[in-house]
Amino acid sequence: MAFSKALYFAAIVPSSEVKEKVKKIKLEIKEQFEAAHPLKLPAHITLLPPVPLAEEQEKAFLGTLKELSGKQPAFPVKLRGFGHFKQRTLFINVEDHGPFQRLHENLLQKATNFLPPKLSENLHPHVTLATRDLDYKKFPKVWQAFKNRDFSAEFKAEALTLFKHNGKTWDILENFAFSGRE
């Protein structure tokens, strides 16, 4: 008997105001550089990359995330400037990685039963603006346009968002409010 699997990933989704600022930049990149892939998702900072889970594991996984979030205090997030990974991905920098790294480590520990054994412990919090369909030949022009450009935004991370792939796109499955004390 084969088990049906779905893909899930966990992220921090910024406030509506910050999501709109990021969306405008993604639309600008689509128009100027023909890279639209990141428009498929709202702005987010990935904490747990896509992992396959048997559908039968979903309820237990949701319970684990709810328990973790109930102990997690909200924390401030500052976004400043732009960065990149090689000539493939353009992103907005997250200033303080500490809270994200701690939350990521907690996720890896609490959800260990659900995660593949070789899931990376490395985390570089960022908000992706262009990737996958960003032609590496166009990357120097994209980077030239953004490397010295000013950008700043702040929001409070108040929930963990779990996305589930429906076969074509990512849907928000559930938001888990942070209710721990600061």
Side-chain angles (χ1 to χ4, degrees):
M1 181 174 167
F3 289 104
S4 174
K5 291 210 174 198
L7 284 175
Y8 301 81
F9 84 91
I12 298 294
V13 175
S15 65
S16 296
E17 180 184 322
V18 173
K19 281 194 298 190
E20 280 305 308
K21 283 178 83 169
V22 172
K23 185 175 181 180
K24 286 178 183 176
I25 295 171
K26 289 179 181 183
L27 288 168
E28 178 186 339
I29 291 168
K30 176 186 176 191
E31 187 177 301
Q32 292 181 15
F33 303 104
E34 300 169 358
H37 183 78
L39 282 163
K40 293 181 179 184
L41 278 165
H44 66 277
I45 302 165
T46 301
L47 286 167
L48 190 62
V51 293
L53 295 176
E55 295 277 353
E56 296 78 15
Q57 294 177 294
E58 183 178 281
K59 187 175 180 181
F61 187 57
L62 292 171
T64 297
L65 296 181
K66 184 175 183 177
E67 179 186 340
L68 176 94
S69 296
K71 296 175 183 173
Q72 172 67 42
F75 57 92
V77 179
K78 293 180 182 178
L79 305 175
R80 297 271 187 272
F82 301 91
H84 66 91
F85 298 127
K86 300 184 180 177
Q87 290 198 14
R88 177 163 171 84
T89 303
L90 176 70
F91 57 82
I92 297 171
N93 292 311
V94 171
E95 234 177 39
D96 182 5
H97 291 193
F100 290 94
Q101 289 170 330
R102 287 187 292 280
L103 183 52
H104 176 72
E105 288 168 11
N106 285 342
L107 264 170
L108 293 181
Q109 288 173 357
K110 300 282 187 210
T112 190
N113 296 342
F114 304 102
L115 304 177
K118 293 187 179 181
L119 188 65
S120 174
E121 292 182 20
N122 295 331
L123 180 72
H124 186 281
H126 64 280
V127 178
T128 301
L129 295 171
T131 191
R132 289 193 186 185
D133 64 345
L134 175 59
D135 185 321
Y136 75 93
K137 293 176 187 171
K138 291 182 182 177
F139 185 84
K141 289 180 184 175
V142 175
W143 183 236
Q144 191 62 38
F146 284 90
K147 70 179 180 181
N148 295 317
R149 187 166 157 175
D150 286 333
F151 179 89
S152 67
E154 295 181 19
F155 67 95
K156 194 166 196 172
E158 298 179 310
L160 177 68
T161 300
L162 184 65
F163 290 85
K164 180 179 180 181
H165 203 272
N166 66 23
K168 293 186 179 193
T169 60
W170 291 98
D171 297 323
I172 293 176
L173 181 61
E174 195 162 332
N175 288 302
F176 301 93
F178 295 155
S179 51
R181 300 281 179 231
E182 292 185 45

PDB file of all heavy atoms in Angstrom, residues 26 58 86 107 168:
ATOM      1  N   LYS A  26       8.707  42.811  -6.626  1.00  0.00           N
ATOM      2  CA  LYS A  26       8.621  41.600  -7.463  1.00  0.00           C
ATOM      3  C   LYS A  26       7.994  41.918  -8.817  1.00  0.00           C
ATOM      4  O   LYS A  26       8.439  41.411  -9.853  1.00  0.00           O
ATOM      5  CB  LYS A  26       7.798  40.518  -6.758  1.00  0.00           C
ATOM      6  CG  LYS A  26       8.469  39.877  -5.565  1.00  0.00           C
ATOM      7  CD  LYS A  26       7.532  38.837  -4.952  1.00  0.00           C
ATOM      8  CE  LYS A  26       8.085  38.154  -3.745  1.00  0.00           C
ATOM      9  NZ  LYS A  26       7.160  37.112  -3.240  1.00  0.00           N
ATOM     10  N   GLU A  58      -0.065  14.555   8.572  1.00  0.00           N
ATOM     11  CA  GLU A  58      -0.389  15.976   8.612  1.00  0.00           C
ATOM     12  C   GLU A  58      -0.928  16.417   9.974  1.00  0.00           C
ATOM     13  O   GLU A  58      -0.458  17.404  10.549  1.00  0.00           O
ATOM     14  CB  GLU A  58      -1.390  16.335   7.513  1.00  0.00           C
ATOM     15  CG  GLU A  58      -1.715  17.815   7.471  1.00  0.00           C
ATOM     16  CD  GLU A  58      -2.669  18.160   6.350  1.00  0.00           C
ATOM     17  OE1 GLU A  58      -2.210  18.249   5.193  1.00  0.00           O
ATOM     18  OE2 GLU A  58      -3.874  18.336   6.642  1.00  0.00           O
ATOM     19  N   LYS A  86      24.818  33.545  -5.304  1.00  0.00           N
ATOM     20  CA  LYS A  86      25.436  33.339  -6.614  1.00  0.00           C
ATOM     21  C   LYS A  86      24.772  34.251  -7.640  1.00  0.00           C
ATOM     22  O   LYS A  86      24.479  35.394  -7.345  1.00  0.00           O
ATOM     23  CB  LYS A  86      25.375  31.860  -7.005  1.00  0.00           C
ATOM     24  CG  LYS A  86      26.107  30.991  -5.994  1.00  0.00           C
ATOM     25  CD  LYS A  86      26.140  29.549  -6.411  1.00  0.00           C
ATOM     26  CE  LYS A  86      26.885  28.764  -5.333  1.00  0.00           C
ATOM     27  NZ  LYS A  86      26.916  27.362  -5.608  1.00  0.00           N
ATOM     28  N   LEU A 107      12.344  24.085  15.583  1.00  0.00           N
ATOM     29  CA  LEU A 107      11.536  23.338  14.603  1.00  0.00           C
ATOM     30  C   LEU A 107      12.194  21.999  14.272  1.00  0.00           C
ATOM     31  O   LEU A 107      11.520  20.964  14.235  1.00  0.00           O
ATOM     32  CB  LEU A 107      11.396  24.150  13.309  1.00  0.00           C
ATOM     33  CG  LEU A 107      10.157  24.985  13.130  1.00  0.00           C
ATOM     34  CD1 LEU A 107      10.314  25.895  11.925  1.00  0.00           C
ATOM     35  CD2 LEU A 107       8.929  24.131  13.000  1.00  0.00           C
ATOM     36  N   LYS A 168      -0.080  22.189  -7.819  1.00  0.00           N
ATOM     37  CA  LYS A 168       0.255  23.251  -8.769  1.00  0.00           C
ATOM     38  C   LYS A 168       0.819  24.482  -8.075  1.00  0.00           C
ATOM     39  O   LYS A 168       1.731  25.116  -8.576  1.00  0.00           O
ATOM     40  CB  LYS A 168      -0.983  23.653  -9.575  1.00  0.00           C
ATOM     41  CG  LYS A 168      -1.475  22.562 -10.505  1.00  0.00           C
ATOM     42  CD  LYS A 168      -2.596  23.052 -11.380  1.00  0.00           C
ATOM     43  CE  LYS A 168      -3.016  21.911 -12.295  1.00  0.00           C
ATOM     44  NZ  LYS A 168      -3.873  22.327 -13.370  1.00  0.00           N
TER      45      LYS A 168
END
